[in-house]
Amino acid sequence: MTNRTYYKTVNINSTGPKTSETSILIIYTGGTIGMDSHPENGSLIPFDFEKIIDAVPELRAFDFELTVISLDPLIDSSDITTDHWVQLGNLIEDFYEDFDGFVILHGTDTMAYTASALSFMLDGVHKPVILTGSQLPIGAKRTDARENLMSSLEIASERDDNGEMLVQEVCICFNNKLLRGNRAKKSQNFNFTAFRSYNYPSLAEAGIFIEYKRETFWKDPINSPVRSMKKFESNVLLLKIFPGMSKDFINQMLNNKKLRGVILETYGSGNVPTSSWFIELLEKTVKRGVVIVNISQCTGGMVMQGHYATSAKLNKIGVLSGKDMTTEAAVTKLMCLLTKYKDTESVKKLIGIPLKGELSV
Ligand code: ASP
């Protein structure tokens, strides 16, 4: 195992030797799941994972090795940056051969972005990388953390009949559902069903048994050793259109010289205002070599450029359809493609092709 400075490792298998050969790495990044109430003032403070067996004694029932690595410092996921994504990718790359599965404990706010980013950053992954978190801290009485953690670990350790890891992609496991990471969205901040996948079915559902829907699984066609991206193109813009948007503001944003890509969040099936200033500005931006991808503001359904006259012009001026991708998937995919390819043509070609199961054809 390689040593890096930004984490500390705790082996939580205090329950004696295990008979199973499976070993899972838990990567704890922060978020509500890892919070505990301060004994005196009740404020939320990071939970000490060395005490996880006390908080979740059910972990003893697992017949496999569990190791926890904590990011140092722990973060609220609102503070996640592309540097953290590179760190997470490096951890999976570095420890890929040492573990059979990976469970990442992450705040829910940006979990869908991180899951999407990891799916595009990592090539050659044939083991489960499961992100989970919770709406209530792990120490809280009615916490959903235990359930989410236990289901994630069980799924991450599951093998198929040939002894291969059953799930081989980046997923989010939350409230008894396993979702493809780059199809999931945070849809609730109040009840336990925090995530939904509007355009793709769940990969598994946990009831009395865990029911896997194998026909929905993604298998990375890349079979070379696992590699993760080491940097990110951040010169992208997420632009949500709205009635009455200011020409001046939009002008300033799109005319920024550093801009390389735009995710344009449009109405309905990909419609935009037909005002000439807006269409001409988009056209000029595309001509400058900026990649513009059309994603719907609707949570379900897909962009159908040309279905209405209000989107037909976008086809003509070279705005690309993001089809049924989530905004989170589109933003991170565009960042990854712009990092990997300096020529815009390759980026344009790949944006509408499913690279990690993120869109339907
Ligand atoms: N703000 C928290 C976070 O995303 C919320 C959560 O974990 O659910 O880190």
Side-chain angles (χ1 to χ4, degrees), residues 149-196:
L149 176 61
M150 297 297 282
S151 296
S152 301
L153 288 170
E154 188 159 344
I155 292 168
S157 65
E158 203 82 63
R159 292 178 188 271
D160 65 15
D161 296 341
N162 304 318
E164 302 277 304
M165 298 320 287
L166 181 63
V167 175
Q168 303 194 358
E169 54 179 304
V170 181
C171 301
I172 289 182
C173 179
F174 221 93
N175 200 28
N176 299 322
K177 280 204 163 71
L178 185 71
L179 309 175
R180 177 162 302 147
N182 56 33
R183 292 288 197 154
K185 277 186 103 57
K186 182 167 180 180
S187 59
Q188 251 292 344
N189 58 18
F190 228 62
N191 68 34
F192 290 150
T193 314
F195 290 90
R196 281 192 63 183

Side-chain angles (χ1 to χ4, degrees), residues 237 246-257 259 281:
L237 182 67
S246 148
K247 180 177 171 183
D248 276 0
F249 292 168
I250 309 289
N251 233 320
Q252 275 186 32
M253 286 192 277
L254 294 187
N255 276 318
N256 189 306
K257 294 276 170 296
L259 187 66
L281 179 58

Side-chain angles (χ1 to χ4, degrees), residues 233-239 253-254 256-264 285-286 288-293 320 330-331 334-335 338 344 347 351:
E233 173 59 81
S234 289
N235 290 320
V236 298
L237 182 67
L238 170 57
L239 180 59
M253 286 192 277
L254 294 187
N256 189 306
K257 294 276 170 296
K258 286 190 183 160
L259 187 66
R260 290 198 62 211
V262 180
I263 300 300
L264 190 66
T285 311
V286 171
R288 242 175 62 218
V290 176
V291 181
I292 305 187
V293 185
L320 307 168
V331 168
L334 187 58
M335 285 166 113
L338 288 169
T344 333
V347 177
I351 209 79

